[in-house]
């Protein structure tokens, strides 16, 4: 089994102060989520309803997506269908090229990250600007997001200050968040005004109305779509919801789960093109429909990309977003990576303690940890199971199935307590790296039980 994640996590943990700060910051968001969820008496009812709605929508994709296309077209939008990342990128480029666009501004979209849209367009001479503050910081730093909701959560304000000094000419040594935010706003303003086309992703797409719904805290999506007359939106097929009533269930869950807010600052609905303009909507599959044939993993399509599973995950919080090889980290990223290409992303399966916390906090009840466990059962069939672990598991099975041998091993076990460290902690003991082996008790539970049983009988006599 690959050790890519373990090695990357080890590198992340070398900066102990940064690792502690990262862990504490994300846990703070998880605590805010808990507080918000407890203020909604019907929270669990909403989670159940959201799960049912997602399962309904994903089992009626053809019907709902065609209804969306019909209504969006009636609203004046031009609807495109993309079977994969290549088609998606090509459609966006063709639209921009047809309108001779060179300056393109977009709001945050994990679908664009998934499909590699930015490098695709830049290679063809189109200047792409990310307008979300976190994404803009990362774009200037030439880094990828480390979190799906808070993409630059791993960047400290001191680093942002140094970056803005270089890129925007801000005051040297001024790391004040308000000052840096105003500087970014000023820097982006002329980019918004001079953009020839704008793009958004979508948190939800409403079948009954043809609406694209985008939830943000910065208003950059609204700003981007307010100036250019050419606008594009794109969404993965799993973002479809039946109607406005259904949408209300998800918007009550999304912000509370993601950032511990009652609702995002902006919940924007895009329906029609600007007067004299064009509005293009791209519906993307890129492997999502294949998940419908995987009975054990269908609920992966329930995900509303809130990031709650990352904020609670003890492995993600202590290993950082870049330790994962799939572009989305954390529990949902492990599952999405395996669904996309198990041969390539199987190494991420080791980044899970099966504590089940991710499944417990998911607002749409994706059985994240349970799915990771099931993916692990497929490793041997893929030829990716660890030979060492297979031998150890086989040895434990052999021991457990033979009570006499097991009890003999328990009797001998305390001998380990007195062995030299090099015999207990070596390359064969991966678990022992960073952990101390507990001392074996001189007396096993079995022995204690038998002794007490004999003692009890003697007292009765």
């Amino acid at each position: 089994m690959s050790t890519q994640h373990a090695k990357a996590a080890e590198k992340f943990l070398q900066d102990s102060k940064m690792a502690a700060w990262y862990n504490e910051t994300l846990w703070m968001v998880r605590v805010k989520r808990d507080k918000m969820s407890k203020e909604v008496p019907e929270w669990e009812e909403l989670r159940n309803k959201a799960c049912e709605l997602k399962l309904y929508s994903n089992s009626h994709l053809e019907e709902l997506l065609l209804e969306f296309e019909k209504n969006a077209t009636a609203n004046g939008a031009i609807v495109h269908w993309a079977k994969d990342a290549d088609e998606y990128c090509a459609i966006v480029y063709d639209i921009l090229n047809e309108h001779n666009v060179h300056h393109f501004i977009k709001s945050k979209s994990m679908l664009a990250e998934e499909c590699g849209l930015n490098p695709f367009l830049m290679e063809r001479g189109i200047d792409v600007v990310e307008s979300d503050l976190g994404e803009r910081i990362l774009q200037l730093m030439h880094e990828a997001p480390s979190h799906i909701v808070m993409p630059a959560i791993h960047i400290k304000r001191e680093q942002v200050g140094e970056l803005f000094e270089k890129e925007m000419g801000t005051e040297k040594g001024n790391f004040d968040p308000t000052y840096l935010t105003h500087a970014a706003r000023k820097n982006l303003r002329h980019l918004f005004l001079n953009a020839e086309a704008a793009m958004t992703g979508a948190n939800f797409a409403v079948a009954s109305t043809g609406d694209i719904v985008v939830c943000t805290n910065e208003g950059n999506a609204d700003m981007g779509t307010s100036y250019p007359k050419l606008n594009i939106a794109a969404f993965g097929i799993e973002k479809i919801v039946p109607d406005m009533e259904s949408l209300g269930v998800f918007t009550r869950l999304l912000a509370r789960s993601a950032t511990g807010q009652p609702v995002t600052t902006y919940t924007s609905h895009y329906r029609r093109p600007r007067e004299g303009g064009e509005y293009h909507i791209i519906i993307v599959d890129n492997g999502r429909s294949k998940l419908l044939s995987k009975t054990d993993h269908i609920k992966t399509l329930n995900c509303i990309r809130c990031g709650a599973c990352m904020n609670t995950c003890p492995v993600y919080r202590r290993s950082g977003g870049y330790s994962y090889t799939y572009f989305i980290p954390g529990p949902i990223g492990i599952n999405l990576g395996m669904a996309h290409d198990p041969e390539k992303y199987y190494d991420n399966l080791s980044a899970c303690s099966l504590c089940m916390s991710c499944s417990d906090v998911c607002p749409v009840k994706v059985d994240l940890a349970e799915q990771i466990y099931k993916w692990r059962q497929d490793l041997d069939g893929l030829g990716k199971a660890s030979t060492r672990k297979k031998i150890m598991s086989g040895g434990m099975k052999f021991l457990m199935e033979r009570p006499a041998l097991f009890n003999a091993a328990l009797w001998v076990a305390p001998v380990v307590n007195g062995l030299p460290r090099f015999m207990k902690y070596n390359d064969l003991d991966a678990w022992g790296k960073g952990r101390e082996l507990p001392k074996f008790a001189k007396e096993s539970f079995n022995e204690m039980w038998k002794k007490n049983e004999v003692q009890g009988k003697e007292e009765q006599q």
Side-chain angles (χ1 to χ4, degrees):
M1 187 172 180
S2 172
T3 57
Q4 281 179 272
H5 179 273
K7 288 178 179 176
E10 188 175 15
K11 183 180 178 182
F12 174 80
L13 289 167
Q14 286 173 359
D15 186 344
S16 57
K17 287 185 178 179
M18 176 64 185
W21 175 82
Y22 195 77
N23 175 42
E24 290 164 9
T25 301
L26 288 161
W27 185 251
M28 178 183 68
V29 181
R30 158 69 204 268
V31 170
K32 287 170 67 179
R33 172 262 175 206
D34 290 351
K35 182 176 181 294
M36 279 292 166
S37 67
K38 288 177 174 60
E39 291 177 1
V40 180
E42 65 274 27
W43 181 257
E44 290 304 319
E45 185 183 337
L46 284 169
R47 289 182 72 211
N48 289 329
K49 187 67 174 176
C51 181
E52 290 167 6
L53 282 166
K54 274 291 185 179
L55 291 174
Y56 170 82
S57 297
N58 291 326
S59 61
H60 292 74
L61 281 174
E62 181 180 4
E63 171 190 327
L64 292 173
L65 289 170
L66 288 175
E67 182 184 359
F68 175 88
E69 180 187 34
K70 177 185 174 183
N71 289 319
T73 303
N75 293 335
I78 301 167
V79 179
H80 309 260
W81 298 78
K83 69 179 179 182
D84 55 26
D86 290 342
E87 280 196 3
Y88 161 72
C89 290
I91 290 168
V92 175
Y93 175 71
D94 288 346
I95 295 168
L96 299 179
N97 190 46
E98 182 184 335
H99 291 80
N100 198 31
V101 171
H102 297 288
H103 302 289
F104 184 47
I105 197 157
K106 58 186 286 293
S107 66
K108 183 171 166 288
S109 167
M110 292 309 291
L111 179 63
E113 292 282 347
E114 174 186 334
C115 298
L117 179 65
N118 287 13
F120 180 90
L121 296 177
M122 289 175 177
E123 286 168 7
R124 288 157 180 77
I126 295 174
D127 179 32
V128 182
V129 173
E130 293 286 353
S131 62
D132 175 271
L133 180 55
E135 291 279 353
R136 182 62 178 155
I137 289 167
L138 293 173
Q139 186 179 35
L140 293 171
M141 296 181 82
H142 306 290
E143 288 190 16
S146 66
H147 191 288
I148 56 176
V149 174
M150 302 169 284
I153 189 68
H154 62 292
I155 307 294
K156 287 196 169 186
R157 61 181 183 174
E158 290 82 1
Q159 294 171 273
V160 177
E162 291 171 5
L163 175 71
F164 283 11
E165 283 175 32
K166 178 185 173 184
E167 299 289 341
M168 302 176 193
T170 55
E171 296 173 9
K172 187 173 179 62
N174 192 338
F175 309 136
D176 178 68
T178 302
Y179 170 73
L180 295 175
T181 302
H182 282 297
R185 182 184 295 167
K186 183 179 178 181
N187 177 264
L188 280 168
R189 181 71 55 169
H190 78 278
L191 297 171
F192 278 120
L193 295 175
N194 293 307
E196 297 152 335
M199 183 176 188
T200 72
N203 290 94
F204 307 100
V206 186
S208 64
T209 62
D211 281 27
I212 293 290
V213 182
V214 179
C215 305
T216 69
N217 280 323
E218 298 176 23
N220 55 303
D222 290 353
M223 187 75 175
T225 55
S226 295
Y227 286 94
K229 288 193 173 181
L230 175 61
N231 285 292
I232 304 171
F235 67 91
I237 57 175
E238 83 284 6
K239 295 295 181 73
I240 197 77
V241 297
D243 49 39
M244 288 293 185
E245 187 178 354
S246 305
L247 176 68
V249 174
F250 294 110
T251 53
R252 294 191 71 195
L253 290 164
L254 178 61
R256 287 180 169 92
S257 298
T259 53
Q261 298 170 257
V263 68
T264 48
T265 308
Y266 301 89
T267 301
S268 305
H269 292 240
Y270 302 107
R271 183 176 293 182
R272 295 185 176 86
R274 290 187 61 196
E275 188 175 344
E278 287 183 16
Y279 186 33
H280 294 260
I281 300 173
I282 309 169
I283 304 172
V284 186
D285 187 333
N286 201 36
R288 287 159 173 76
S289 59
K290 288 182 182 177
L291 265 173
L292 296 171
S293 65
K294 299 181 186 294
T295 309
D296 289 338
H297 302 287
I298 286 176
K299 277 191 178 180
T300 302
L301 292 172
N302 280 21
C303 177
I304 57 173
R305 302 296 193 271
C306 69
C309 61
M310 298 178 188
N311 302 335
T312 198
C313 176
V315 180
Y316 171 81
R317 287 188 284 110
R318 290 168 174 83
S319 62
Y322 294 143
S323 61
Y324 298 78
T325 51
Y326 191 61
F327 83 102
I328 293 178
I332 185 60
I334 295 172
N335 283 294
L336 290 170
M338 288 300 291
H340 185 71
D341 189 343
E343 294 270 347
K344 186 175 181 181
Y345 299 113
Y346 73 92
D347 62 290
N348 296 314
L349 288 173
S350 64
C352 176
S353 64
L354 294 180
C355 69
M356 303 290 171
S357 185
C358 53
S359 299
D360 290 341
V361 301
C362 178
V364 284
K365 293 202 163 185
V366 180
D367 48 346
L368 292 154
E370 292 86 345
Q371 287 192 43
I372 291 171
Y373 175 79
K374 288 171 181 174
W375 283 119
R376 284 180 178 177
Q377 310 316 301
D378 296 339
L379 282 174
D380 203 21
L382 291 168
K384 302 296 184 182
S386 166
T387 303
R388 184 185 298 176
K389 288 182 180 178
K390 285 172 67 178
I391 292 170
M392 289 175 66
S393 297
M396 290 299 292
K397 183 174 184 290
F398 183 86
L399 185 67
M400 297 290 188
E401 288 177 344
R402 292 161 176 79
L405 187 59
F406 176 76
N407 287 321
L410 284 179
W411 182 75
V412 175
V415 173
V416 174
N417 296 336
L419 292 176
R421 286 189 67 82
F422 77 88
M423 294 184 70
K424 291 190 287 185
Y425 303 101
N426 50 55
D427 289 341
L428 293 174
D429 181 17
W431 183 257
K433 293 178 180 178
R435 300 177 181 86
E436 286 291 323
L437 189 70
K439 287 189 176 181
F440 286 97
K442 293 179 181 179
E443 190 176 41
S444 72
F445 178 78
N446 279 352
E447 290 171 326
M448 290 170 63
W449 179 271
K450 288 174 183 176
K451 186 188 293 183
N452 288 338
E453 192 175 35
V454 170
Q455 186 178 345
K457 286 180 180 177
E458 288 175 351
E459 288 175 355
Q460 286 177 3
Q461 293 172 355

